[in-house]
Amino acid sequence: MIFTCQPGFTDLLAGELSAHGFAPVEQGAGWVRTEPGKRVGDNALHPLPDLCFPQMALLEPVEIAADSVNALAAKITEQFLTTAKTERFEGEWPFLFEEAAEMDGLGRRVKGVEKMVEENLKKRMSRVAKLAVADKPRGVARLRGLYVFFVDFKRAYVAREAVFGGQRRMADDEQAPSRSYLKIEEAYIVLGREPAFEETVVDLGAAPGGWSYSASKRGAKIVAVDNGPLKGGAYNNYKIEHRMEDAFTFRPAPDQVFDWMFCDLVEEPHHVMENLIQPWLERGWCRRFVVILKFGRVDPLALLRDVRAPESVFSRCATNVRVRHLYHDREEFTIVGELK
Ligand SMILES: C[S@@+](CC[C@H](N)C(=O)[O-])C[C@H]1O[C@@H](n2cnc3c(N)ncnc32)[C@H](O)[C@@H]1O
């Protein structure tokens, strides 16, 4: 399989894969290839485990190599036509070309191959070609399509099936007071749900207010807990009540259950898990959550194991838990889930 991730986090991706029994055989900036057949049964009946670092996993990729754009496009087209012969295309399907990061000029070359494959398909299967969408699906998904990943100028992997972790680049909003805004927007996609009109949100460590602002745009009512000031679209926002309190000691009113708990503190992650997340989840003070844990000063893979351990507060109290290294995350994990 080929797994892709944020460039700069490839070693962590390889480490996570090894921990799950996938043996890495090759890697470059933002991708890891694992040995075929090392794990048996990774098919639709036995899906991949829910992984944190991969943004996309190409299943059973076939290697193709050629010198020119024309020859690469011809081989990819052939591979698609051969495998699609008996397939029915009823709706839109993903047509995705990506490449290893940090290789000067590779992106331009890949665009050239992509255009040529598109033209080839229009000639050979015009109805099917019209249904192709050159974008990742929204959310966590396993889909058939055409996936091509270039590891260098002359070599690519072609797959017909891929698994997506839900990460994607989000659009900014000029009123958003921080880049964190992009993370919460992306987290909704991973969870498959976003705050609805009049739902209640507690935002622990809210300033300058990117997450609160994002929830306010959807009409939710937010309690933003932070000693720091709110800014931009979060400042003087009638949907947001700013409470200058300590996130670790802030408590809901008796019998109050927030629809959402957001937590984005620059603090030691175990301290956050034990002294903040644990009381909120164990006592059922919220229905669902988006939490960031910073891994800059700890061993990220050990933290990941702690989060996923059966005795962790997330495993014990929550369901639909997804731990992700988001497209917009830096040295941090985003964890989303719902209370059991
Ligand atoms: C990364 S920022 C949060 C960014 C925010 N999610 C946004 O979208 O703008 C972390 C915030 O946590 C706050 N913070 C750290 N420790 C806190 C505590 N014990 N109680 C309340 N806020 C705290 C800091 O003041 C800082 O504003």
Side-chain angles (χ1 to χ4, degrees):
M1 278 186 268
I2 301 265
F3 294 88
T4 67
C5 69
Q6 249 197 68
F9 293 86
T10 316
D11 287 340
L12 289 175
L13 166 63
E16 184 187 22
L17 292 171
S18 301
H20 282 87
F22 298 96
V25 285
E26 192 185 1
Q27 69 181 64
W31 64 278
V32 170
R33 185 164 67 83
T34 62
E35 197 150 307
K38 273 282 164 185
R39 272 185 64 123
V40 283
D42 284 319
N43 55 35
L45 292 175
H46 302 277
L48 286 179
D50 195 59
L51 298 169
C52 167
F53 285 97
Q55 299 188 356
M56 181 169 78
L58 304 191
L59 309 186
E60 296 181 37
V62 171
E63 185 185 279
I64 59 139
D67 288 334
S68 68
V69 168
N70 272 346
L72 286 162
K75 286 191 172 175
I76 293 166
T77 307
E78 244 3 88
Q79 177 65 21
F80 179 78
L81 294 175
T82 315
T83 54
K85 241 183 233 154
T86 55
E87 212 166 311
R88 291 170 72 89
F89 290 82
E90 308 287 2
E92 293 185 340
W93 55 277
F95 176 85
L96 275 186
F97 281 63
E98 290 198 359
E99 68 279 334
E102 293 161 13
M103 231 181 259
D104 248 7
L106 182 57
R108 239 173 309 133
R109 183 176 176 88
V110 172
K111 273 268 159 272
V113 178
E114 179 180 349
K115 267 223 105 31
M116 203 163 275
V117 173
E118 202 182 325
E119 279 159 22
N120 290 346
L121 291 188
K122 274 185 193 152
K123 283 184 210 142
R124 310 270 297 265
M125 291 177 109
S126 88
R127 188 191 68 84
V128 170
K130 274 191 199 132
L131 296 170
V133 177
D135 194 11
K136 285 185 173 171
R138 270 180 92 84
V140 178
R142 178 177 178 136
L143 282 177
R144 278 188 79 72
L146 174 62
Y147 306 103
V148 183
F149 189 80
F150 277 79
V151 295
D152 62 39
F153 284 78
K154 297 181 178 179
R155 189 161 60 100
Y157 285 87
V158 182
R160 295 299 324 282
E161 198 168 12
V163 175
F164 296 88
Q167 297 98 327
R168 62 190 287 134
R169 186 177 182 168
M170 305 305 298
D172 212 346
D173 176 324
E174 60 181 27
Q175 287 208 64
S178 62
R179 302 264 316 152
S180 282
Y181 166 83
L182 300 169
K183 294 179 207 170
I184 194 77
E185 293 278 319
E186 192 183 353
Y188 302 150
I189 293 175
V190 172
L191 182 63
R193 189 170 175 144
E194 54 185 50
F197 184 72
E198 293 291 283
E199 278 189 344
T200 53
V201 178
V202 63
D203 187 1
L204 302 168
W211 290 22
S212 291
Y213 172 67
S214 155
S216 78
K217 279 174 65 173
R218 292 164 169 84
K221 295 184 290 190
I222 302 110
V223 177
V225 181
D226 202 308
N227 277 313
L230 299 182
K231 296 183 180 163
Y235 176 69
N236 263 348
N237 181 322
Y238 79 103
K239 285 280 183 185
I240 304 174
E241 178 193 346
H242 186 188
R243 300 269 285 267
M244 293 198 165
E245 289 180 42
D246 183 352
F248 285 89
T249 52
F250 177 85
R251 298 287 178 256
D255 299 327
Q256 182 182 21
V257 177
F258 283 93
D259 293 306
W260 294 81
M261 185 265 281
F262 293 169
C263 174
D264 182 15
L265 298 170
V266 186
E267 291 272 357
E268 204 286 323
H270 295 91
H271 174 51
V272 175
M273 269 202 287
E274 279 154 37
N275 299 309
L276 192 150
I277 308 303
Q278 193 161 312
W280 275 85
L281 301 198
E282 278 183 350
R283 294 177 205 174
W285 291 336
C286 60
R287 297 198 169 85
R288 48 195 79 82
F289 55 85
V290 180
V291 171
I292 285 204
L293 293 180
K294 306 280 176 187
F295 62 64
R297 291 175 179 213
V298 299
D299 173 350
L301 296 176
L303 177 61
L304 199 50
R305 272 198 306 278
D306 294 343
V307 168
R308 288 186 172 139
E311 64 277 12
S312 93
V313 64
F314 296 105
S315 311
R316 285 189 289 107
C317 303
T319 175
N320 291 336
V321 178
R322 287 181 173 144
V323 191
R324 288 289 183 280
H325 188 241
L326 297 179
Y327 178 93
H328 293 287
D329 272 343
R330 300 205 171 132
E331 293 189 315
E332 59 210 356
F333 297 127
T334 300
I335 306 165
V336 300
E338 297 170 324
L339 260 70
K340 277 181 184 164

